[in-house]
Amino acid sequence: MPIPFIMPKMDMDQEEVVIDQWLKNEGDTVEKGEPVIIVETDKITSEIEAPAEGKLARILYKENQVVPVTQVVAFILKEGETEADLPHVETADDETQQDTHQSKSAIEGKPISATSLAKRIAETEGFDLREVPAVGEKITKEDIDAYLQTRCKIKPRVESPATPAARRFALAHNVDLKTVEGSGPRKRVQASDVLNAVQQMSHKTPDRQSTATKLEPLQLTSMRRRIAERLTASYQNIPHIFLTVEVDISRAEKVRKQLNQKASTKGFPNISITTYLVKVISVCLMRHPFLNAYLKDERIHFWEDAHIGIATALEDGLIVPVIHKANKLSIHEINRQVKTLSQKAHEGSLSREEIQGGTFTISNLGMYGINSFTSIINQPQSAILSVGAIKRRPVVVDDEDSINVRPLMNLTLAADHRIIDGAIAAHFLVDLKDLLEDPEGVINSG
Amino acid sequence: MPEITFRQAIHDALVEEMRRDSSVFLIGEDIGTYGGAFGVTAGILDEFGRDRVWETPISEETIVGSAVGAAIVGMKPIAEIMFMDFLTLVLDPLANQAAKVRYMFGGKATVPMVVRMPSGSGTGAAAHHSQSLETILMHIPGLKVVAPSTPYDAKGLLLSAIRDPNPVCFVEHKLLYKTKGEVPNGEYTIPLGVADIKREGTDLTIVTSEIMVHKSLSAAEDVSKEGISVEILDPRTLLPLDVDTITNSVMKTGRLLVVHEAVKTAGWAGEIMASVSESPAWDYLDAPMRRLTGKDVPIPYNRFLERAAVPQEEDIVREIQAIVSNQY
């Protein structure tokens, strides 16, 4: 077999050389190691030596022609060999023809331009050069390397790199790992990334809620603003104390029933529980002047009469019409005023006088079923009474521990501790309880 | 508690058990008059005489082979291989006989013997006298492999090893002999197969043994100043391995580093990591498990190269920092 004269690769990244000059012609005898070709690379010119001793045959590349490295450029015939022994080799022309042929048959009709080395790799590796994207004009070995790398890249089973702990958290918190930016190496999602994402999600949830309720901010009405200011000032300035007492109103109910029977025969309206309370409280306040007083300029000022305010809920706020000099009014007169003022309150037709000058307030939430509650003192008063619902409950009624079911009502007094100590408040409240539980004297008094 | 050296703790365990149990005897090279290559058996010959302290010619196969025979017939030999490197000479009696007898005789014969073997580098003893070959032993079912790191563990584990009805390889790192630690007076045992947390932490679990426990403890102390909390877990017994304690710790910290002096390839770090992979702790890992081990080379004689061949404190510090800061 004739020995192929192969163009050696002189540099790691070298792909081709230009034949500068053949120092020997076809038919010349060469010694092994004798310079035969002078080639040019981008860096230098070099002498290429004969790989063996023999006769130079079939020069495949002419001077000034570009030769891919590792390509056979000629053959050396050993002693006794002739040109007939030479194998068939594709010439550069053949390759060009093949290129043309390929380009014609290419589906996209685009001619393939590739270096010979690239072509050879494609042939050896068995893939289609048309699949290889080229960076420059020609497909190079680098292009093929890049292509092969992407082609061989394993498609991972899971799309997002994440630590096992991160995956566990993602599963537990129902977080899509693809939505989480990984802080780990190669953008790997760490457990802390998932937890941060969860936290952000939980922050977003109230955001959404506030958007939902963020319809239109409600401008405070002047009434609402005044309520807000006054109650804030009261609660901030007055040290409140609260006392609660339970009142058995079975006798009061009986009295009220009798009154109502009489009233109906006279065509009077029914006596309400509020009326009843106003009456009894006004009497009681006369016995306990500190509860019917106020603090101003380091003095305690006492009122001569009991002017009882009745906290009345309105659709958009709260108003406190006043029964003036309640201590001097009959229960029927009080009842009349209570009803009139209540009606006016709801109509919004209360006069200035009708809401001024209160010395004590009662607030009744019993009709809502509230057992007991506390109220904020209505300045400049010094006490307010919170009235709970009347409910029938079992109660010990004598020293024999007998239990009866009685209508019971909780009263909670809020008092200004600056002028009313607990004992004073207690005396008032217990006195009030006694009067309410034994009402005949009070009611009949007026 | 009195503080004694690792060497003294092993010495005391040997003496106490020889006094307690007359079937216990020592066999090895230079363990009598000379007191052993590392002085562990100094003075034992004087107390117990030549019937209990057998000094042999330089033939490790004879030492272990005789011990196996003696154990099968009811004695409790404690053999000493002067250097663990000579393990390769005794693999037949140890791996092919001692480890199998109990199984092959259906439990009717037991081999209650201990082979003590000083291991490890750091003494300039070069390639023939510096290896850590415990993984070879771990690969043989029927053997137990104990590798203590403190005097307390050494004494308690050695007593358990001597009383165990199976062949137990007792690995003693040479650099530990002079280290000191508190050891209570009197008898106590530590069960084989139970790991010990040498330092509690929350950010990273280091599983390590022998001298590397101490290097890891120093490294953990170093990085604690950066706010890194390292848990250090010493298996103490490498075979059987206390996998539960290891996986529990990894579940707590989410990160694992195994440090051993034995070479990396097919070293026991791989076994620990594989066990964690198979356990529920896998789901708790928040970083790749890592190992810091001896390099895959024979231990060099040159002291700089010898130092470079096995993990040092600064290497452990770097590795902890890298793992905790998500560099892997």
Side-chain angles (χ1 to χ4, degrees):
Chain A
M1 274 284 285
I3 293 162
F5 194 141
I6 295 169
M7 181 58 68
K9 181 175 170 134
M10 287 163 281
D11 274 323
M12 284 295 284
D13 57 350
Q14 186 186 10
E15 289 198 348
E16 47 194 27
V17 296
V18 178
I19 294 180
D20 197 38
Q21 192 188 348
W22 281 98
L23 299 173
K24 299 278 178 180
N25 295 316
E26 282 184 11
D28 287 355
T29 307
V30 294
E31 297 291 319
K32 185 179 177 185
E34 190 183 355
V36 177
I37 322 168
I38 295 176
V39 296
E40 240 177 77
T41 66
D42 9 330
K43 290 168 192 162
I44 43 157
T45 52
S46 317
E47 289 177 345
I48 307 297
E49 297 164 355
E53 180 190 330
K55 202 189 280 179
L56 191 64
R58 194 192 280 173
I59 292 176
L60 294 166
Y61 290 83
K62 301 183 187 83
E63 287 172 2
N64 294 322
Q65 236 188 328
V66 179
V67 183
V69 295
T70 72
Q71 191 81 337
V72 177
V73 292
F75 290 87
I76 291 169
L77 301 173
K78 288 179 285 190
E79 222 180 306
E81 286 177 341
T82 65
E83 293 203 359
D85 296 315
L86 291 173
H88 172 74
V89 187
E90 276 177 11
T91 61
D93 288 345
D94 285 344
E95 258 190 291
T96 319
Q97 277 167 13
Q98 205 179 12
D99 274 1
T100 325
H101 172 70
Q102 270 192 359
S103 70
K104 273 175 191 163
S105 67
I107 298 160
E108 291 165 21
K110 215 167 78 184
I112 291 169
S113 181
T115 63
S116 302
L117 182 63
K119 283 178 194 161
R120 209 169 43 253
I121 295 169
E123 212 174 283
T124 329
E125 299 282 325
F127 59 88
D128 192 342
L129 265 181
R130 279 169 295 184
E131 292 171 11
V132 182
V135 176
E137 282 181 10
K138 280 184 168 186
I139 298 168
T140 62
K141 183 174 173 291
E142 280 71 36
D143 295 328
I144 290 177
D145 286 346
Y147 164 76
L148 287 178
Q149 229 167 18
T150 54
R151 197 177 71 154
C152 296
K153 205 176 245 175
I154 297 155
K155 194 160 187 288
R157 190 177 62 81
V158 285
E159 285 176 46
S160 318
T163 66
R167 288 188 193 287
R168 189 170 54 86
F169 282 133
L171 200 68
H173 295 287
N174 203 17
V175 172
D176 183 357
L177 275 175
K178 275 180 279 185
T179 65
V180 181
E181 197 175 335
S183 68
R186 300 171 297 281
K187 298 201 169 168
R188 183 182 65 213
V189 177
Q190 301 291 132
S192 59
D193 298 329
V194 176
L195 292 178
N196 285 341
V198 170
Q199 217 164 30
Q200 274 173 9
M201 273 162 60
S202 63
H203 282 160
K204 272 181 192 159
T205 314
D207 252 19
R208 263 184 239 124
Q209 278 178 356
S210 64
T211 327
T213 53
K214 226 187 242 172
L215 294 171
E216 266 308 304
L218 196 61
Q219 186 65 42
L220 287 186
T221 60
S222 58
M223 180 199 278
R224 188 81 246 160
R225 195 162 54 239
R226 217 170 55 248
I227 292 168
E229 283 165 8
R230 285 176 59 101
L231 291 180
T232 303
S234 170
Y235 210 55
Q236 282 177 346
N237 295 329
I238 299 177
H240 285 59
I241 50 172
F242 302 100
L243 297 86
T244 301
V245 75
E246 187 180 66
V247 181
D248 177 351
I249 59 158
S250 39
R251 282 174 69 186
E253 291 281 81
K254 216 177 280 171
V255 168
R256 201 155 66 94
K257 219 179 204 172
Q258 289 166 0
L259 283 174
N260 283 342
Q261 275 169 0
K262 279 186 206 166
S264 64
T265 58
K266 290 178 187 173
F268 290 154
N270 278 354
I271 307 282
S272 72
I273 184 74
T274 305
T275 299
Y276 177 64
L277 282 166
V278 170
K279 176 65 188 173
V280 178
I281 287 165
S282 65
V283 170
C284 193
L285 280 174
M286 289 302 101
R287 304 182 190 177
H288 300 272
F290 279 88
L291 275 295
N292 200 42
Y294 68 99
L295 177 69
K296 195 184 176 192
D297 302 332
E298 301 198 347
R299 285 169 190 213
I300 301 170
H301 302 266
F302 298 95
W303 296 100
E304 199 185 328
D305 292 311
H307 309 284
I308 311 290
I310 300 164
T312 308
L314 302 176
E315 216 172 288
D316 54 350
L318 165 79
I319 200 155
V320 188
V322 177
I323 313 285
H324 291 278
K325 296 187 181 178
N327 54 311
K328 289 182 174 155
L329 300 177
S330 72
I331 195 160
H332 293 294
E333 178 54 25
I334 291 170
N335 198 42
R336 193 190 58 79
Q337 285 194 21
V338 165
K339 290 200 161 26
T340 313
L341 291 171
S342 169
Q343 198 181 342
K344 282 186 170 179
H346 290 289
E347 288 168 358
S349 60
L350 287 168
S351 69
R352 262 184 99 74
E353 289 73 33
E354 284 167 332
I355 56 168
Q356 279 182 338
T359 60
F360 187 95
T361 300
I362 61 175
S363 174
N364 187 355
L365 294 181
M367 55 287 216
Y368 301 111
I370 301 300
N371 279 342
S372 64
F373 62 102
T374 61
S375 302
I376 292 169
I377 293 166
N378 187 12
Q379 277 185 310
Q381 301 164 17
S382 55
I384 185 168
L385 191 74
S386 307
V387 181
I390 298 164
K391 288 189 176 168
R392 300 182 67 78
R393 287 194 291 262
V395 66
V396 175
V397 291
D398 58 23
D399 295 342
E400 309 292 305
D401 283 351
S402 317
I403 291 175
N404 270 356
V405 172
R406 294 280 172 85
L408 300 173
M409 176 176 70
N410 282 333
L411 298 178
T412 301
L413 180 78
D416 181 348
H417 203 351
R418 292 175 304 176
I419 61 171
I420 301 168
D421 289 335
I424 294 172
H427 280 132
F428 167 75
L429 204 53
V430 169
D431 204 7
L432 181 62
K433 170 186 161 82
D434 289 346
L435 287 173
L436 289 168
E437 289 183 345
D438 188 10
E440 281 89 349
V442 179
I443 301 304
N444 296 335
S445 75
Chain B
M1 263 191 281
E3 237 188 28
I4 61 170
T5 60
F6 190 85
R7 180 205 334 258
Q8 186 68 42
I10 293 171
H11 174 273
D12 291 356
L14 294 175
V15 170
E16 284 169 29
E17 200 60 4
M18 285 175 83
R19 284 178 192 153
R20 199 185 69 85
D21 183 346
S22 61
S23 63
V24 176
F25 73 98
L26 308 185
I27 180 167
E29 295 159 10
D30 286 340
I31 59 170
T33 314
Y34 184 60
F38 298 94
V40 173
T41 52
I44 297 184
L45 177 63
D46 297 339
E47 180 176 346
F48 295 95
R50 297 235 167 251
D51 280 355
R52 308 281 300 277
V53 181
W54 285 61
E55 296 204 77
T56 70
I58 305 179
S59 169
E60 280 74 17
E61 281 170 282
T62 305
I63 296 169
V64 175
S66 307
V68 173
I72 289 171
V73 296
M75 299 297 285
K76 288 181 181 164
I78 302 171
E80 181 182 305
I81 302 298
M82 197 182 283
F83 290 91
M84 188 189 209
D85 308 74
F86 309 149
L87 173 66
T88 50
L89 291 164
V90 303
L91 273 178
D92 183 64
L94 194 59
N96 215 21
Q97 306 301 337
K100 290 171 182 154
V101 165
R102 191 172 177 189
Y103 287 85
M104 296 182 73
F105 286 82
K108 284 179 180 166
T110 57
V111 190
M113 64 182 279
V114 173
V115 185
R116 293 179 41 242
M117 39 186 90
S119 75
S121 68
T123 61
H128 288 133
H129 302 85
S130 301
Q131 294 171 87
S132 300
L133 300 176
E134 58 270 21
T135 317
I136 292 177
L137 298 165
M138 289 170 71
H139 201 60
I140 298 162
L143 294 183
K144 291 187 179 181
V145 184
V146 179
S149 65
T150 66
Y152 176 84
D153 288 350
K155 187 175 176 188
L157 289 166
L158 184 50
L159 288 182
S160 293
I162 297 168
R163 295 172 195 182
D164 197 278
N166 302 290
V168 179
C169 301
F170 199 83
V171 184
E172 303 163 12
H173 196 287
K174 299 180 201 79
L175 295 184
L176 288 173
Y177 282 128
K178 289 179 183 169
T179 61
K180 283 188 164 183
E182 287 187 338
V183 174
N185 285 318
E187 185 189 305
Y188 67 95
T189 58
I190 296 171
L192 305 187
V194 178
D196 185 41
I197 308 268
K198 297 293 186 202
R199 179 191 172 104
E200 294 211 4
T202 54
D203 297 332
L204 166 74
T205 298
I206 294 183
V207 176
T208 186
S209 78
E210 303 176 75
I211 188 69
M212 289 300 158
V213 169
H214 300 275
K215 292 183 182 180
S216 299
L217 282 169
S218 303
E221 191 56 37
D222 262 20
V223 298
S224 73
K225 291 166 197 144
E226 303 163 27
I228 302 172
S229 166
V230 176
E231 178 143 308
I232 294 181
L233 193 151
D234 179 358
R236 302 196 290 196
T237 304
L238 294 171
L239 186 68
L241 203 51
D242 183 357
V243 174
D244 284 351
T245 302
I246 294 168
T247 53
N248 283 341
S249 174
V250 173
M251 281 171 90
K252 185 174 86 171
T253 63
R255 300 186 182 98
L256 172 67
L257 169 64
V258 187
V259 182
H260 63 54
E261 182 170 329
V263 300
K264 184 177 208 162
T265 303
W268 54 264
E271 183 60 34
I272 303 273
M273 291 153 83
S275 298
V276 170
S277 276
E278 291 167 345
S279 81
W282 165 259
D283 277 338
Y284 291 76
L285 283 171
D286 202 25
M289 296 181 278
R290 302 283 301 182
R291 52 187 162 165
L292 189 61
T293 65
K295 295 188 169 52
D296 282 337
V297 293
I299 298 293
Y301 171 63
N302 175 293
R303 63 192 173 103
F304 298 107
L305 294 179
E306 181 185 31
R307 196 173 183 282
V310 299
Q312 302 297 340
E313 187 189 323
E314 60 268 23
D315 303 321
I316 302 172
V317 166
R318 267 198 304 275
E319 192 67 12
I320 293 170
Q321 289 166 334
I323 295 171
V324 171
S325 63
N326 276 341
Q327 285 176 35
Y328 294 116

